Structures are given as structure tokens and as C-alpha cells.
Amino acid sequence: MIKIVKLLCYLLFLTTEIHCKRFIVKRKTTTAIPKNATESWTGNWFPHPPLPNDSWKGKWFPYAPYTNIQTLDVTHKKQLSASEICDDGKQYIGLDYDPNDVRKSFEHLCLANRSLFEPNMNREALRKEYFIPPAYVAHSKCLNETISYDTPLPTYGAFRPIPPKYGSYIFLPAQRWLTSLSQGAVVMLYHPCANNGQVKVLQNTLRSCLYRHIITPSLALSPKRPIALVAWGKSLEMSVVDDKLVVDFIKQSAKQGPNFSSKQQNNTKIYEAGLLQEAHLITDENDIEVCGYKEGM
């Protein structure tokens, strides 16, 4: 056993330039090194020292023992402070999506056959309303926790604390636009391969109806219905934009989230990563009138 350990340590030293801590091995026992043990070892521990109170001050590999891995920055493997761990809308956002990471560009590029996404006038729109238990509480989670959803197109669930600025994005992850849904916004999603004409029709209607909106591509949509509107607990998926259905959905769904307040986006911290175009006021920032220009039409 001792020979095997020495061989492994020697190989590690050659390949990674890291010294292994000498092991004290006794036959038929797994007793830990006693607290009062004194040794002259001056190298690095691998993977961690046998005791929490070890006095080693050198570098650790792959990280210091007894470290809470969830509090490590996923990109830089750096210990985060309590304020950094949560969310400021700028640092460590790569846990969900980093627009500066070219490896994530597939989120907003059409890599499929566009002909599969062509509009079909005979395909009806699909509107869904989900039952949300009255006792359900919408939670925000800091960036030391990953957020996943059990459905490709979530309409409620956990989200990040810092809301995104209203407008159009090169790509906005669900963890961010769900924050907007909880505050009463309407989100427009479109598959990157969706028909450009239909995308423009829907975004023009949404921009004319509501200040509190988000527009972003999404691979969660199917070729049959590659454009959609999403609100808290509701969704409308379409192959062809039906203006009447769209306006009705926006009027009935806007300003309905559990965290809705007349005072929105006044936080000094805001998420703007990947923002292409900021939303413009229609009536006022409180959207006192939704789709008012459609009245009487």
C-alpha cells in the first residue's frame, strides 16, 4: 500500500508539480492522524489535509479543503464575498448566461432548417394558463445557486433578484425574464429560426402596447409554434401572429405578477447584459393604459 501511494505521489509530482502529503498507513486500520501529531512535511496537501486545523499556508489543489463549492465563482474559481455571491446584475452572471462568451452564441443563432419554422395559417395558436397554488411563494435565488426548470417554457418559478431592463436582448436567460414576469411584464420569445416577418409583427405590437416588456430569442420553442408571449402563469404560442389574440393576451396578462408594483425598475442595480434596444414609454412607466391605441379598432 505504501509503495502504491509513493508511486502515485511521484507521478503527481512529475505531471502537476504538486507534492502529495505523506500518508501514515497502518495495517487493518483507518484511524486518522491524531491532533497532536507533529510532522516536518512542507509540501502541498492532496486533495486536502487529514485534519481541519492543519497549519499549511501554501497553495491548494484543486481548492482549499472544507470549501463550500457552491460559493465558488464558476468561471474564475475564486472565493466570493457575501455581497458578490448574491447578485448585482453584472458579476458572475455566466452561471446563467454570459453574452461575451462566444460558446453561448448558439442560444441566439439559427442552426436548424428554417423551412421547418415557416408560418402555417392552418395551425391554431396554443394558449395555456397554469394553476399556481395560492400558497405558492415566488423566490429569488442568488448566484451561488443554480436555477433549473422542469418545463422548457417556464411561466413561473425561481428567478434572480436583479431585474433586467425592459427592452430587446440578443439573448436573455429564463432566470432573468422570470424576474420580469413576477413584476407584471410580458415577455416575447421567438426561435432564432422563426420567420423574420412574423417576429417583427409581434414585436411591433408588443412595443406599442406595453412599456414593461422583454423580447428575446429562445430555443425552447418548437418549429410548429416558434413565436410566443409569456406572462406569469400564462403563455401564448403561435405559428402565425393573430393580432386580436395577441392584444387580448397582453391586456389580460400585463401587470399581473406576484411582485407587481407601480414602482418598477427604480433599483440602482439593473441587468443590461446583451441589451439591444431599451423599451420606450407608451403612456408612462406604470403602463396606466395597455394597448390603448387598439381601442375601437
Side-chain angles (χ1 to χ4, degrees), residues 39-210:
E39 295 184 301
S40 59
W41 173 252
T42 58
N44 292 11
W45 298 96
F46 181 88
H48 50 71
L51 296 173
N53 60 351
D54 185 77
S55 59
W56 169 252
K57 303 299 182 183
K59 295 182 180 180
W60 302 100
F61 179 86
Y63 40 76
Y66 317 106
T67 299
N68 183 355
I69 309 305
Q70 289 186 337
T71 64
L72 292 175
D73 174 36
V74 295
T75 303
H76 306 293
K77 291 291 183 284
K78 156 187 167 182
Q79 191 73 30
L80 310 182
S81 68
S83 60
E84 290 173 331
I85 286 174
C86 197
D87 187 20
D88 66 358
K90 296 179 181 179
Q91 300 184 85
Y92 316 115
I93 59 176
L95 183 63
D96 300 324
Y97 172 75
D98 183 355
N100 296 318
D101 188 346
V102 295
R103 296 172 297 178
K104 297 292 185 179
S105 59
F106 69 89
E107 296 281 7
H108 54 83
L109 295 178
C110 177
L111 302 177
N113 186 348
R114 283 189 179 274
S115 63
L116 300 175
F117 297 82
E118 284 300 308
N120 186 338
M121 296 291 294
N122 296 320
R123 188 169 293 135
E124 293 183 350
L126 183 62
R127 180 166 178 169
K128 297 180 181 178
E129 293 193 19
Y130 299 87
F131 172 73
I132 303 177
Y136 177 80
V137 178
H139 291 288
S140 63
K141 292 187 176 182
C142 298
L143 286 169
N144 64 329
E145 296 184 80
T146 57
I147 301 177
S148 58
Y149 306 101
D150 55 7
T151 177
L153 194 63
T155 60
Y156 67 95
F159 46 79
R160 296 303 179 196
I162 302 301
K165 180 174 285 187
Y166 298 131
S168 302
Y169 287 80
I170 187 171
F171 178 77
L172 190 68
Q175 292 86 349
R176 290 291 173 182
W177 53 255
L178 269 163
T179 311
S180 300
L181 293 191
S182 73
Q183 297 178 348
V186 174
V187 173
M188 172 187 160
L189 305 173
Y190 63 93
H191 196 282
C193 296
N195 179 273
N196 289 333
Q198 293 297 309
V199 171
K200 289 181 180 178
V201 169
L202 184 55
Q203 71 181 14
N204 288 342
T205 298
L206 180 59
R207 287 171 176 170
S208 301
C209 277
L210 193 69

Side-chain angles (χ1 to χ4, degrees), residues 2 5 21-26 29-34 37-39:
I2 295 177
V5 171
K21 175 71 180 77
R22 288 186 295 113
F23 286 86
I24 297 178
V25 180
K26 295 182 179 180
T29 179
T30 57
T31 305
I33 300 175
T38 58
E39 295 184 301

